[in-house]
Amino acid sequence: MKFDTPATTNPIDQLKVVGKPVDRIDGPLKVSGAAPYAYERHDVVADQAYGHVVGATIAKGRIRSIDTSAAEAAPGVLAVVTAGNAGKLVKGRFNTAHLLGGPQVQHYHQAIALVVAETFEQARAAAQLLRVDYAREPGRFDLAARRDSATTPKSEPDTGAGDFDAAFPEAPVRLDVTYTTPDQSHAMMEPHASIAAWDGDALTVWTSNQMIDWGRKDLARTLGIPPEQVRLDSPYIGGGFGAKLFLRADVVLAALGAKAAGRPVKVALSRPQIFNNTTHRPATIQRIRIGCGEDGKISAIAHESWSGDLPGGGPEVATQQTRWLYAGANRRCALRLAELDLPEGNAMRAPGEAPGMMALEAAVDEMAEKLGMDPVEFRIVNDTQVDPEKPERPFSQRQLVQCLRTGARQFGWTRRNAKPAQVRDGRWLVGMGVAAAYRNNLVMKSAARVRLGADGRVVVETDMTDIGTGSYTIIAQTAAEMMGVPLDRVDVRLGDSSFPASAGSGGQWGANSSTAGVYAACMKLRESVATKLGLDPAAAGFSDGEVSAGGRSFALADAAKDGELVVEDAIEFGDLDRKFQQSTFGAHFVEVGVDAHTAEIRVRRMLAVCAAGRILNPKSARSQVIGAMVMGTGAALMEELAVDKRLGFFVNHDLAGYEVPVHADIPHQEVVFLDETDPISSPMKAKGVGELGICGVGAAVANAIYNATGVRVREYPITLDKLIGKLPGAA
Ligand code: MOS
């Protein structure tokens, strides 16, 4: 089904099942431990051996030799895989560094060997016996030091409108500030893990991957075999956050290990390996300049961001939101990329907007204060309903102002004291902060197969993934609505590359795109049901397990009496995303307390108001947003990879050293969804919401800290050492 004109009324609009806050259908499996993760799939294939990954202990250079003899002679060892014996490997399209290094080493903890043994302990012990002789080369590890070497990435030319350089100096009120965000790690609960088994030339991997079709194709490409010979299965995923968008070393090494050992092999990356072996969110340096009239209207705005990556990699697109969030005739966004020899940077938890909003929305708070304007009003004054770079291009929907107003009312914004450091609650300095939320809405082709059985059950098969987001549930809701059956008559099967290729889970496009694919397949199934029953497909109504048209009615199951009906279709998107700017909007409100003596920072209350198209399931969408708000809090207050600038690696490579919020750090959270449908986005009239919730939270926390203390910290994360000593009344 081609989607190239805005949606009109369709069966989803009935909202009998879609739009209801139903519990996740995989919930009982998840909380009882019955939803197995990749490493726990002991039953899928017999005789699984264990692989242990060996990572490079230099950041850059060459392996002169690896002596594997002691490891090979160790008890239980079945094989040792290195670049020397692995055969030719081609880098995946989505990978920047090779997943098996050697003889060149491109980054610290790049995998250079896999030791396969009968038991995990034997593999791990033997891995210590490898003797690697390195020729170390100097590397580039310091973004700030490399800033001046950065160039414009080919894929990301500067954008803008008007003449910023002429307009900025003329503006009566000007702000010029630079913010930094650190390298960050996904830190999802389930580590990267895979089990691989060969059957002749055919390879099956049970793995943990957000994008099954990308993974299948890149695994085939890496190993030099046709994609048809590769099957990926990833039905349950313990968090992805972007870490599992692409093929990682566990998959490739499990496949190579299984080939070498002649039996199935399972490989997990240990927690300390994940931080340097896999990808991370790159650090940024962001300069923001805003020029305004006395009326608070932006006349000039520029956002430049510097980030680094391995040669051949890409930038953190931190300026993305600044192209569209606020009006202003003269504007420029520019990305600069420096070559670094740190591990590969890549997508993490709303790449682009998440770190970009941390800078932009704090700068906007600073500008509002300069103007003596309320920060909510300053944002409202600068709203735009069209793409500021191309004013002929409207937004498909844009309720930023409504989000801000609703949030301000609900949060009690009028109780905020605009003058910082005025409010005390015992030992706590108390402040409130606000930030806009913004994340683009992407749409991706997505296919599904639907089956109707003689028992009247509807089965959906698609390689869509559920990374903890609720895909199983919203897909079941979609099929139930379309076919007029209760939710418990629908079975959903996901994550298997033998199913039709879906949009997958990334960039908050998954929910809208994959359910739209199921919608397309169900439209086709409705047609074949009606035809089978001798009803006019255009007139047939589907409800309460029945199909009716022209005064005649049948049980839905009757259509499958002579055999199961099976159809497949895909949603394919035309150019509506070029004609309209499709984005999602919100407003974050945060109250913090800062200990007046120790500068300890505690978040006290959080509210997010979101406008993100039709909300397919308010319960799972709310869970997405509260999880995202936690991530935003982590980014504001804790998350930071410490770079060893001499040796070139991330030092804090476990969850003791890389801090993320725990329950005790997160108080009361509220989420409000504005009533919205977006017929430009898809037949579901939905948009993404999972990543919207993270974009802006960090700045709202930062702005609340400023309001509490009068101290503005521009280097994230905002830790107490950056406040203490500057607090009002500090000795
Ligand atoms: Mo998301 S970082 O695109 O999985």
Side-chain angles (χ1 to χ4, degrees):
M1 175 185 287
K2 186 101 179 166
F3 183 74
D4 50 12
T5 52
T8 52
T9 301
N10 68 42
I12 296 297
D13 295 320
Q14 301 172 97
L15 298 180
K16 288 181 184 167
V17 196
V18 169
K20 296 277 188 283
V22 300
D23 289 347
R24 278 176 53 178
I25 57 180
D26 55 332
L29 295 178
K30 282 284 178 82
V31 298
S32 64
Y37 292 126
Y39 200 74
E40 304 162 338
R41 299 193 69 185
H42 313 297
D43 56 340
V44 289
V45 60
D47 213 19
Q48 299 173 12
Y50 293 80
H52 194 274
V53 174
V54 179
T57 56
I58 61 167
K60 188 174 162 70
R62 205 168 44 77
I63 297 171
R64 282 199 203 96
S65 64
I66 304 184
D67 180 357
T68 58
S69 54
E72 277 161 0
V77 171
L78 301 167
V80 178
V81 177
T82 65
N85 63 10
K88 184 172 150 51
L89 298 175
V90 177
K91 190 172 65 63
R93 265 180 59 221
F94 292 104
N95 298 124
T96 303
H98 288 277
L99 296 176
L100 177 60
Q104 289 304 319
V105 172
Q106 295 169 288
H107 64 86
Y108 185 84
H109 269 182
Q110 183 175 30
I112 56 165
L114 181 81
V115 177
V116 182
E118 292 287 350
T119 69
F120 171 77
E121 290 77 9
Q122 287 171 332
R124 186 177 55 180
Q128 315 306 315
L129 302 175
L130 288 189
R131 287 291 162 262
V132 186
D133 182 20
Y134 295 102
R136 205 168 105 192
E137 293 163 21
R140 305 154 295 181
F141 309 121
D142 185 348
L143 175 64
R146 295 278 301 154
R147 175 176 170 164
D148 292 340
S149 75
T151 57
T152 308
K154 266 199 204 68
S155 57
E156 302 286 349
D158 296 0
T159 62
D163 185 347
F164 173 81
D165 293 320
F168 182 67
E170 301 294 317
V173 187
R174 289 185 301 276
L175 179 81
D176 181 349
V177 285
T178 297
Y179 279 79
T180 61
T181 63
D183 297 285
Q184 297 173 344
S185 187
H186 306 83
M188 67 287 162
M189 286 299 281
E190 184 203 11
H192 301 267
S194 300
I195 300 170
W198 291 88
D199 180 4
D201 291 335
L203 172 65
T204 302
V205 294
W206 295 270
T207 187
S208 188
N209 191 293
Q210 298 172 225
M211 300 292 299
I212 298 300
D213 199 51
W214 291 2
R216 184 176 69 105
K217 287 176 180 149
D218 252 3
L219 182 53
R221 180 184 157 94
T222 302
L223 298 174
I225 60 178
E228 301 72 49
Q229 278 170 223
V230 175
R231 181 179 157 228
L232 255 74
D233 188 36
S234 187
Y236 299 106
I237 297 167
F241 307 170
K244 298 169 183 170
L245 286 167
F246 317 116
L247 213 58
R248 299 305 321 162
D250 57 303
V251 195
V252 172
L253 289 172
L256 294 171
K259 182 136 259 184
R263 61 189 264 200
V265 167
K266 59 164 52 178
V267 175
L269 296 181
S270 67
R271 185 66 65 182
Q273 289 175 328
I274 291 175
F275 292 78
N276 286 285
N277 174 272
T278 70
T279 65
H280 66 283
R281 190 205 302 282
T284 65
I285 299 169
Q286 301 182 50
R287 181 185 188 196
I288 294 174
R289 283 173 288 172
I290 306 174
C292 279
E294 303 286 358
D295 58 358
K297 292 227 163 110
I298 296 172
S299 56
I301 181 165
H303 190 165
E304 295 152 280
S305 175
W306 289 259
S307 62
D309 202 359
L310 287 167
E316 178 69 34
V317 190
T319 57
Q320 175 130 285
Q321 68 291 321
T322 310
R323 298 178 59 186
W324 292 291
L325 191 47
Y326 297 114
N330 303 289
R331 49 202 307 127
R332 183 166 71 233
C333 287
L335 293 167
R336 298 292 178 260
L337 177 64
E339 286 191 350
L340 293 179
D341 298 301
L342 289 170
E344 173 179 339
N346 217 317
M348 174 179 139
R349 310 191 210 146
E353 284 97 321
M357 291 290 278
M358 288 167 75
L360 176 66
E361 286 299 287
V364 161
D365 198 68
E366 294 197 63
M367 191 60 176
E369 191 186 40
K370 261 192 176 220
L371 290 158
M373 275 178 86
D374 180 274
V376 170
E377 290 309 314
F378 177 58
R379 288 176 170 89
I380 289 172
V381 161
N382 288 291
D383 187 47
T384 172
Q385 293 293 315
V386 297
D387 175 348
E389 291 179 358
K390 295 192 186 75
E392 68 284 3
R393 217 174 144 247
F395 283 88
S396 62
Q397 291 281 350
R398 179 173 165 125
Q399 296 201 69
L400 174 62
V401 170
Q402 292 84 340
C403 289
L404 287 161
R405 291 228 190 274
T406 304
R409 197 165 50 242
Q410 181 143 341
F411 199 68
W413 186 250
T414 51
R415 295 201 305 273
R416 172 182 179 266
N417 191 327
K419 194 159 174 241
Q422 300 302 305
V423 182
R424 275 296 275 264
D425 175 9
R427 65 191 174 104
W428 299 98
L429 295 158
V430 179
M432 289 191 208
V434 64
Y438 178 96
R439 174 76 167 155
N440 279 336
N441 181 63
L442 300 172
V443 288
M444 297 276 273
K445 180 180 174 183
S446 196
R449 188 185 297 138
V450 280
R451 305 169 176 274
L452 174 65
D455 55 1
R457 294 193 71 79
V458 176
V459 179
V460 185
E461 294 171 336
T462 167
D463 82 359
M464 180 60 189
T465 47
D466 189 325
I467 62 175
T469 40
S471 308
Y472 278 104
T473 311
I474 55 171
I475 285 173
Q477 288 176 274
T478 303
E481 192 81 59
M482 292 298 292
M483 301 313 297
V485 298
L487 200 58
D488 61 11
R489 292 257 294 272
V490 180
D491 298 312
V492 179
R493 299 176 187 155
L494 300 182
D496 187 332
S497 65
S498 57
F499 300 149
S502 73
S505 299
Q508 81 168 5
W509 64 62
N512 179 45
S513 302
S514 71
T515 54
V518 174
Y519 169 94
C522 286
M523 280 308 254
K524 221 168 172 178
L525 183 59
R526 286 164 64 108
E527 218 177 285
S528 74
V529 166
T531 309
K532 185 83 191 172
L533 296 172
L535 300 174
D536 174 10
F542 291 70
S543 65
D544 303 322
E546 301 213 321
V547 194
S548 329
R552 295 194 303 145
S553 231
F554 297 90
L556 179 66
D558 288 351
K561 255 195 327 229
D562 310 330
E564 190 187 37
L565 297 184
V566 186
V567 303
E568 192 177 318
D569 201 6
I571 191 91
E572 289 182 76
F573 295 91
D575 64 353
L576 286 174
D577 58 343
R578 283 190 289 280
K579 288 187 188 144
F580 296 85
Q581 177 58 34
Q582 296 187 21
S583 307
T584 61
F585 297 90
H588 288 290
F589 290 81
V590 173
E591 182 180 291
V592 301
V594 178
D595 187 299
H597 308 287
T598 67
E600 176 189 353
I601 303 159
R602 306 298 301 179
V603 172
R604 292 157 66 110
R605 296 191 289 140
M606 309 180 83
L607 166 69
V609 182
C610 303
R614 171 173 282 152
I615 299 303
L616 301 172
N617 179 332
K619 187 178 279 183
S620 56
R622 176 181 179 276
S623 295
Q624 285 293 286
V625 176
I626 65 173
M629 292 157 82
V630 173
M631 295 178 188
T633 303
L637 300 178
M638 301 169 197
E639 294 190 56
E640 176 175 27
L641 287 167
V643 182
D644 184 318
K645 290 173 188 156
R646 298 157 308 150
L647 298 177
F649 66 94
F650 300 127
V651 180
N652 48 342
H653 51 202
D654 58 33
L655 292 176
Y658 186 85
E659 290 186 22
V660 296
V662 298
H663 278 285
D665 295 313
I666 302 296
H668 188 67
Q669 293 178 295
E670 277 187 75
V671 181
V672 173
F673 294 112
L674 295 191
D675 208 7
E676 181 175 291
T677 50
D678 192 336
I680 308 287
S681 173
S682 85
M684 302 302 294
K685 304 172 188 172
K687 290 194 282 203
V689 70
E691 294 183 331
L692 174 66
I694 193 175
C695 302
V697 186
V701 172
N703 297 340
I705 292 170
Y706 176 76
N707 183 244
T709 63
V711 183
R712 178 65 71 175
V713 177
R714 299 195 185 91
E715 296 85 34
Y716 288 103
I718 305 172
T719 46
L720 53 75
D721 53 298
K722 297 173 187 170
L723 287 178
I724 201 163
K726 296 185 185 146
L727 290 184

